[in-house]
Amino acid sequence: ETYMMKEINHVNFIGGTGASPALTQDGLRVYTSDNFNNVLAYDRDLNEIWKLNVGEQVAASITVASENNELFAVTAGDLIKIKDTGSSAHAVWRARDSMDMYSNTWGQKNLNLLTALVTANGVAVSPNDDFILVSETSEYRVQKYWLKGDKAGQSEIIVDNLPGFPDGISSNGKGIYWVALASLRKEIIDNLGEKPFIRKMILRLPESMQPAPDRYSFVLGIDGNGNIIHNLQHPAPDSYSPITSVEEKNGILYLGSLTYPGLARISAP
């Protein structure tokens, strides 16, 4: 099929944006980040509403919760929860690689988490906003962080030892979380398991300097407990890959890639 697209408005960013745009469910507000450590909110006409400096450049797409005007942003070292209060915003808490989640405005107990988020690359919020799932690329795993209830502040690994590098993760709002696996694991990287610092440095190198990935389309659908419900793979030289983001809308999976020229879509299983 062929679609026509027309530009209505645009915003220029010096050095480019740090994250793909994210929308509220009603489509009236757009969130992104810039090259100067800011998270920004725009209205649908791309008029700036507010700007919040989070101290580091956002390294993955911003995730919008379904309620309470809450956002989640990931930097190289932190996972940050942001509250959009309308004309401004503030950071509620952040989890950093010192394994401590601490509150900026909460005034409640510190929430000790059991992981470093240096390599976190994607965040998905549950339909009830009671937990988030975080994909950790170089650790080949997905972690679950409880935000509400008796387990608030606790974390657990729900998917571990994945066969590829998990990248973007999203919720379909009905209990399925789609995980894009950008490429299969490489032996040269696995052999550095006892040297995590060097392994993380390799994964942060420019793409041209990293081990060449195989052409392999790979998407997993998991539930909130980490059970694999859908396993979608297409190993072929002409496959749409690497897949770095996946979103479900009206029974269609929309696939995105950092390097493949274009978007793709398939029917959701």
Side-chain angles (χ1 to χ4, degrees):
E1 297 181 60
T2 302
Y3 296 88
M4 298 296 295
M5 300 181 68
K6 178 182 178 181
E7 180 181 303
I8 298 175
N9 207 340
H10 70 269
V11 177
N12 292 319
F13 289 84
I14 299 175
T17 61
S20 300
L23 297 172
T24 54
Q25 289 193 334
D26 58 14
L28 298 179
R29 190 159 289 202
V30 183
Y31 302 103
T32 189
S33 64
D34 62 15
N35 201 33
F36 301 97
N37 307 334
N38 295 305
V39 173
L40 302 100
Y42 295 89
D43 64 20
R44 63 186 306 170
D45 295 318
L46 298 185
N47 298 303
E48 185 179 310
I49 300 172
W50 52 255
K51 179 189 298 182
L52 175 68
N53 192 298
V54 295
E56 292 183 276
Q57 185 171 357
V58 174
S61 297
I62 295 166
T63 299
V64 183
S66 59
E67 298 177 350
N68 303 322
N69 300 318
E70 294 172 345
L71 319 172
F72 294 89
V74 176
T75 70
D78 290 358
L79 167 65
I80 306 167
K81 179 180 179 180
I82 298 171
K83 179 75 171 182
D84 183 344
T85 58
S87 59
S88 62
H90 63 268
V92 179
W93 53 250
R94 64 178 65 209
R96 51 183 18 182
D97 55 10
S98 61
M99 303 185 186
D100 179 54
M101 180 185 287
Y102 59 91
S103 171
N104 287 358
T105 59
W106 238 355
Q108 298 180 358
K109 64 179 181 179
N110 281 356
L111 304 176
N112 293 317
L113 299 182
L114 305 178
T115 185
L117 287 170
V118 172
T119 55
N121 207 29
V123 179
V125 185
S126 71
N128 296 323
D129 295 338
D130 53 346
F131 63 82
I132 58 176
L133 299 186
V134 180
S135 63
E136 294 186 85
T137 303
S138 70
E139 303 301 326
Y140 316 117
R141 68 190 183 191
V142 176
Q143 290 231 33
K144 182 177 186 177
Y145 294 86
W146 291 94
L147 303 175
K148 299 177 182 177
D150 295 338
K151 293 185 177 181
Q154 298 180 32
S155 70
E156 57 184 300
I157 299 171
I158 63 169
V159 183
D160 200 8
N161 200 29
L162 284 165
F165 295 93
D167 203 305
I169 184 170
S170 66
S171 168
N172 73 351
K174 298 177 287 187
I176 296 295
Y177 301 86
W178 294 106
V179 183
L181 278 75
S183 66
L184 298 177
R185 291 167 69 155
K186 285 288 187 180
E187 184 178 1
I188 186 174
I189 303 237
D190 283 351
N191 289 340
L192 294 172
E194 297 181 357
K195 300 177 181 179
F197 178 74
I198 297 177
R199 186 171 69 178
K200 290 171 184 176
M201 286 185 63
I202 290 177
L203 291 173
R204 292 180 182 179
L205 289 172
E207 183 183 349
S208 60
M209 300 176 64
Q210 293 190 21
D214 298 315
R215 296 302 302 274
Y216 202 107
S217 299
F218 204 164
V219 172
L220 292 178
I222 64 174
D223 64 17
N225 295 315
N227 298 306
I228 296 177
I229 309 301
H230 304 294
N231 187 341
L232 310 178
Q233 301 184 42
H234 180 48
D238 60 348
S239 65
Y240 182 85
S241 61
I243 298 175
T244 54
S245 64
V246 54
E247 298 282 346
E248 180 181 344
K249 185 72 172 179
N250 298 328
I252 300 294
L253 293 182
Y254 294 91
L255 311 176
S257 175
L258 284 176
T259 57
Y260 196 96
L263 303 173
R265 71 174 193 169
I266 60 174
S267 296

